[in-house]
Amino acid sequence: MTRKTAVLGFRIMAVLVCGGMASGCSAQGQAEPSWTAQPDATASTAAPTGTATASAGPTTSGGQGSPTPGAGATSAAWKTFSDPGKTVSFDLPEEWIAQSVTPEEGTMAGALKVEVKKPDGTVLASLRTGLPPSAQECAEAARRPYTVISSVPVDLPALAGEGTIAPHVVFRVIQGYRYFGSFGITNIVGGADGQACELRNVVRGPAGKGDYSFGDLPALKAFAPDEKVAPAKAFDTLDQAAKYVDEGAEFANVQRMLMSLEIKN
């Protein structure tokens, strides 16, 4: 057994020990995001108003931690997106595209929806604001085991109360016929005893402002074999999910982008 395999095995065993309600459960002694900066990274530059284009519970690992060996490096050049009203802003790799689109029906007045895409047009994540509060019933038989692969605290405005935690940037996996993974921001407890019907990438916003979401999906569930999984991820094992978080450049960039989000009053 290699040292790397042993470490990953230990991390997954820690998942089973760490079980509990809070989606922010994390590895001991870790307190920083797990991205690593490229040498001589270019400082963020302001994007045109309203758009940014390519020209301008249980835990396994990572999460609240110092950069780990093998963690994916982020892009060298970054830019900043801000909506026309200057109510939200975030950083993203220079080659990614951020574009404001029409929000879904049922959102509050002044709600925003911003899609972040790869250069080929593939949507990576969406920022949604002005979401109405919602609750979900979860029958015992419909609950599925879930695992928090990464959980990093982030400074964002949020409504505190029962069933909430401090906002975190998370990557979580729920078990179905495969392990389905999703990243986002949340302050909502995942589920009791490491099981849930769905994992919501939503932050309860301050009173009168509505909820908001920034991630690949507003909520992650265990998909049926005939359902489309993307933009969520699918893995054969928890080890594969941990490698996506710990070693992949895509997640390193996504995590840094989500951590940079600012919501202004």
Side-chain angles (χ1 to χ4, degrees):
M1 178 182 295
T2 65
R3 181 176 182 274
K4 186 173 183 180
T5 302
V7 170
L8 288 173
F10 174 79
R11 287 174 172 176
I12 294 173
M13 288 178 64
V15 174
L16 304 179
V17 175
C18 185
M21 289 183 62
S23 64
C25 182
S26 63
Q28 183 179 0
Q30 298 180 331
E32 296 294 338
S34 58
W35 67 69
T36 55
Q38 292 277 18
D40 302 321
T42 303
S44 297
T45 57
T49 301
T51 186
T53 65
S55 61
T59 322
T60 62
S61 68
Q64 303 180 52
S66 301
T68 55
T74 57
S75 295
W78 287 69
K79 59 191 176 184
T80 300
F81 171 91
S82 182
D83 70 293
K86 306 297 182 182
T87 59
V88 301
S89 68
F90 59 88
D91 300 336
L92 68 161
E94 187 174 284
E95 67 273 18
W96 291 3
I97 302 163
Q99 185 173 19
S100 296
V101 298
T102 303
E104 289 90 349
E105 292 185 8
T107 53
M108 300 174 62
L112 298 172
K113 181 178 180 181
V114 182
E115 291 183 341
V116 178
K117 304 176 182 179
K118 293 180 178 180
D120 64 3
T122 302
V123 176
L124 275 169
S126 295
L127 169 64
R128 298 172 172 87
T129 68
L131 302 175
S134 61
Q136 186 232 1
E137 297 296 328
C138 183
E140 185 76 22
R143 294 171 39 170
R144 296 291 182 268
Y146 76 92
T147 300
V148 181
I149 302 293
S150 175
S151 181
V152 183
V154 62
D155 185 15
L156 287 169
L159 187 67
E162 184 179 358
T164 68
I165 59 171
H168 279 64
V169 172
V170 297
F171 186 87
R172 297 176 291 185
V173 172
I174 194 166
Q175 186 175 351
Y177 73 92
R178 296 183 73 187
Y179 293 92
F180 301 104
S182 176
F183 54 75
I185 56 173
T186 189
N187 77 326
I188 300 175
V189 168
D193 302 322
Q195 295 197 346
C197 288
E198 67 176 20
L199 301 170
R200 304 187 65 198
N201 295 322
V202 173
V203 174
R204 300 286 193 200
K209 299 294 185 180
D211 298 346
Y212 56 97
S213 172
F214 196 12
D216 50 9
L217 291 173
L220 174 69
K221 65 174 185 176
F223 295 91
D226 60 347
E227 287 185 294
K228 178 184 176 182
V229 175
K233 313 298 180 186
F235 306 97
D236 293 325
T237 65
L238 283 175
D239 181 77
Q240 288 180 0
K243 286 181 178 179
Y244 171 77
V245 167
D246 289 342
E247 301 176 10
E250 179 178 279
F251 182 74
N253 283 319
V254 163
Q255 185 186 57
R256 180 170 172 176
M257 178 178 71
L258 298 184
M259 292 290 297
S260 73
L261 176 64
E262 293 187 14
I263 303 288
K264 303 175 179 64
N265 293 330

